[in-house]
Structure formats: C-alpha cells, structure tokens
Amino acid sequence: MDTQKKIALNMGLFLGLALTLLITMIYVIDLSLFTKSWIGILNMVLITLFGIIAATNYKKTLGGFISFKSAFTSFFIAVVVGFFISTLFNILLFNLIDTEAKAIITENVIKYTVEMMQKFGAKAADINTVVQEMQNSDSFGVLGQLKGFFFNIIVYCIIGLIASLVIKREPPQSL
C-alpha cells in the first residue's frame, strides 16, 4: 500500500473511531442531543479536520508540496472510511441494539422541526405535511442511513475540494 493510502486510511480509521465514540457518548448521555445543531456542527468540524489532517500529513511526506488531486484524494479517502464506519455503527445501534432509541430520536426531531417551522411562520397545513412525511420515513433505518451516507459524501466532496485548493502547493518551476 502506498504512503498516501496508508495515511488516509489511518486517518479514516481514527475518524471512524472518533465519530463512533461521539455517537456513543450522545446515546449514553441524552438522546435529545441528537437534535442539537451544535452537535451537527461539531460533527462537521471533526470530519473536515480529519480530512485536512490526512491531506497535510501526506503533504509533509512529499516535502511540503502536494498537487490538488493528491490533497483531495487523501481528504476523500479519510472522510469516506471514517463516515462509513460511523454509518455502520449507526445502523447497528438503531436497528439491532436499541430500536426504541430510533423512535425516541425521531419524535425529538419531529418536535424540533415543528418548533422551527412555527418560529418561521409556516402554515399548519405545511407543518402537518412535513410531520406526516417524517413519520412515514425511517431516516435511522438501513436505507435511510445509506442515503444519508451518500448525501454527506457529496457535501464533504465539496468541502474537500475547497480544502484541497488551500492545501495544494506545487513545487516551484525551474527556469
């Protein structure tokens, strides 16, 4: 295995462990934390940070220079591996270990959504439609988790492209 893949894979494994620990802590402390926006922000920062660390660590092995493609590849591998581990853990936790937690979190999400829609002046009919859709979907089920995984990978690709633009550093051209 080449150095780039080894570094990115290791960072992805560490990211997966960190996300699994974060989910476990939230699960143990209070299920309502799953609806808190600061948890989502913390999650996003953590995932982005691990991707950036993977790219910059590989850049160091290259003597401080890295192409955009190599920076993005390192970021992408780390994020996909880490997020995949986290998704597998979520599937196990909410579909095999504790299916009641899935129902509690879904109710919390519905309550939070209704409150937010009311704050923004949404019509009762629109709120009822959204609630009905949320009750009929299973975002914590296997299919919902996999959809979330692929949607998030698209989001982190965009973040990774931006981060790679900042991280890249081409060697100076000799005359």
Side-chain angles (χ1 to χ4, degrees):
M1 180 182 314
D2 70 4
T3 305
Q4 179 184 29
K5 288 183 180 122
K6 184 177 178 182
I7 290 170
L9 185 61
N10 283 339
M11 290 309 300
L13 293 172
F14 284 126
L15 173 60
L17 178 63
L19 292 172
T20 300
L21 287 173
L22 180 63
I23 292 162
T24 303
M25 287 174 36
I26 294 168
Y27 172 79
V28 169
I29 294 169
D30 184 2
L31 291 177
S32 69
L33 291 173
F34 281 104
T35 62
K36 304 296 182 194
S37 56
W38 65 270
I39 293 289
I41 293 168
L42 175 65
N43 210 24
M44 182 175 249
V45 167
L46 191 65
I47 294 167
T48 303
L49 186 65
F50 272 83
I52 289 171
I53 291 170
T56 56
N57 282 352
Y58 183 54
K59 180 179 177 180
K60 287 177 189 173
T61 67
L62 297 174
F65 300 102
I66 191 169
S67 68
F68 172 81
K69 178 184 176 187
S70 291
F72 179 75
T73 301
S74 297
F75 183 100
F76 184 76
I77 291 170
V79 168
V80 167
V81 169
F83 213 77
F84 185 72
I85 291 168
S86 173
T87 301
L88 286 178
F89 179 73
N90 283 342
I91 289 169
L92 289 173
L93 178 62
F94 298 120
N95 294 282
L96 295 175
I97 298 169
D98 188 357
T99 55
E100 281 185 33
K102 176 170 51 170
I104 293 167
I105 295 168
T106 300
E107 279 303 311
N108 289 340
V109 170
I110 290 170
K111 286 178 191 173
Y112 177 76
T113 303
V114 168
E115 289 172 8
M116 293 304 292
M117 290 181 77
Q118 287 172 339
K119 281 183 186 177
F120 288 109
K123 297 175 185 171
D126 293 336
I127 294 172
N128 289 337
T129 301
V130 169
V131 168
Q132 189 68 32
E133 288 174 7
M134 291 176 80
Q135 288 172 334
N136 292 335
S137 70
D138 186 8
S139 59
F140 290 96
V142 175
L143 187 58
Q145 289 287 327
L146 292 175
K147 283 180 186 177
F149 171 78
F150 288 110
F151 173 78
N152 278 297
I153 292 304
I154 292 168
V155 169
Y156 286 105
C157 275
I158 295 166
I159 293 170
L161 291 169
I162 295 166
S164 298
L165 282 171
V166 174
I167 295 168
K168 77 173 177 80
R169 183 170 175 222
E170 301 290 339
Q173 300 293 323
S174 57
L175 299 173

